Amino acid sequence: MKKLLMLLIAITTAFAAYAQQKGGREDTTQHITVYSCPMHPDVTSNKPGKCPKCGVDLTLSKKEQMKMEVTKSYACPAHPDVISNKTGTCPKCGKTLLPSKKEQMKMEVMKYTCPMHPDVVSSKPGTCPKCGMKLAEKKPETN
């Protein structure tokens, strides 16, 4: 009976370790953005361009548009088609990408930030995962 109990404990421990390792893996799947013709949905491409049938600009497919709305955080004020999930500048005009309304609301809740990495924010005190510095309380923005 003791041997059976020890075997069950060993199997459970091994399975738990495997499940934790499996759960922490990074997504290594290659994600491809799909563009399609609004007039000819069967015409698709993995980059922007023109439809070979009618010459209309290829646009993001409906599925890609929905994915971008969920992940979109920053956009160029002059070029709404330039979107990113992180801060930066527009590759077309060099203007600073502005946060979306959803990102702005999220930032209002986040009261702590890293002095070295302003993109690292938290709703509670702690340390920066990038550099280990103590998160500082954000100063209220003045308009």
Side-chain angles (χ1 to χ4, degrees), residues 45-62:
S45 173
N46 61 350
K47 56 188 172 195
K50 302 258 183 211
C51 174
K53 292 182 179 178
C54 64
V56 172
D57 285 335
L58 298 179
T59 59
L60 288 173
S61 66
K62 297 286 184 198

Side-chain angles (χ1 to χ4, degrees), residues 1-142:
M1 186 68 172
K2 263 186 170 179
K3 287 182 181 180
L4 181 60
L5 184 59
M6 293 300 283
L7 181 63
L8 283 173
I9 291 173
I11 290 172
T12 305
T13 305
F15 180 74
Y18 172 77
Q20 286 177 350
Q21 178 187 14
K22 185 89 170 154
R25 284 200 178 152
E26 240 182 80
D27 181 14
T28 57
T29 311
Q30 287 187 341
H31 299 280
I32 300 171
T33 304
V34 179
Y35 295 85
S36 63
C37 175
M39 304 297 288
H40 304 99
D42 58 312
V43 175
T44 60
S45 173
N46 61 350
K47 56 188 172 195
K50 302 258 183 211
C51 174
K53 292 182 179 178
C54 64
V56 172
D57 285 335
L58 298 179
T59 59
L60 288 173
S61 66
K62 297 286 184 198
K63 181 179 177 182
E64 293 296 324
Q65 289 174 5
M66 288 185 343
K67 283 197 307 192
M68 292 302 257
E69 284 302 314
V70 171
T71 60
K72 180 171 76 171
S73 296
Y74 301 92
C76 175
H79 303 99
D81 59 316
V82 176
I83 53 178
S84 175
N85 61 353
K86 51 188 165 192
T87 59
T89 57
C90 175
K92 294 182 179 179
C93 66
K95 289 185 178 180
T96 302
L97 298 177
L98 300 176
S100 66
K101 296 289 182 198
K102 179 181 175 182
E103 191 68 16
Q104 288 173 7
M105 289 189 319
K106 193 166 77 173
M107 296 301 267
E108 288 173 8
V109 174
M110 303 299 180
K111 299 193 184 332
Y112 298 90
T113 186
C114 175
M116 297 297 292
H117 303 100
D119 58 317
V120 174
V121 291
S122 175
S123 60
K124 56 188 176 203
T127 58
C128 175
K130 293 181 179 179
C131 67
M133 287 184 73
K134 183 178 176 184
L135 297 180
E137 197 164 351
K138 286 178 21 178
K139 294 178 176 77
E141 292 180 24
T142 55

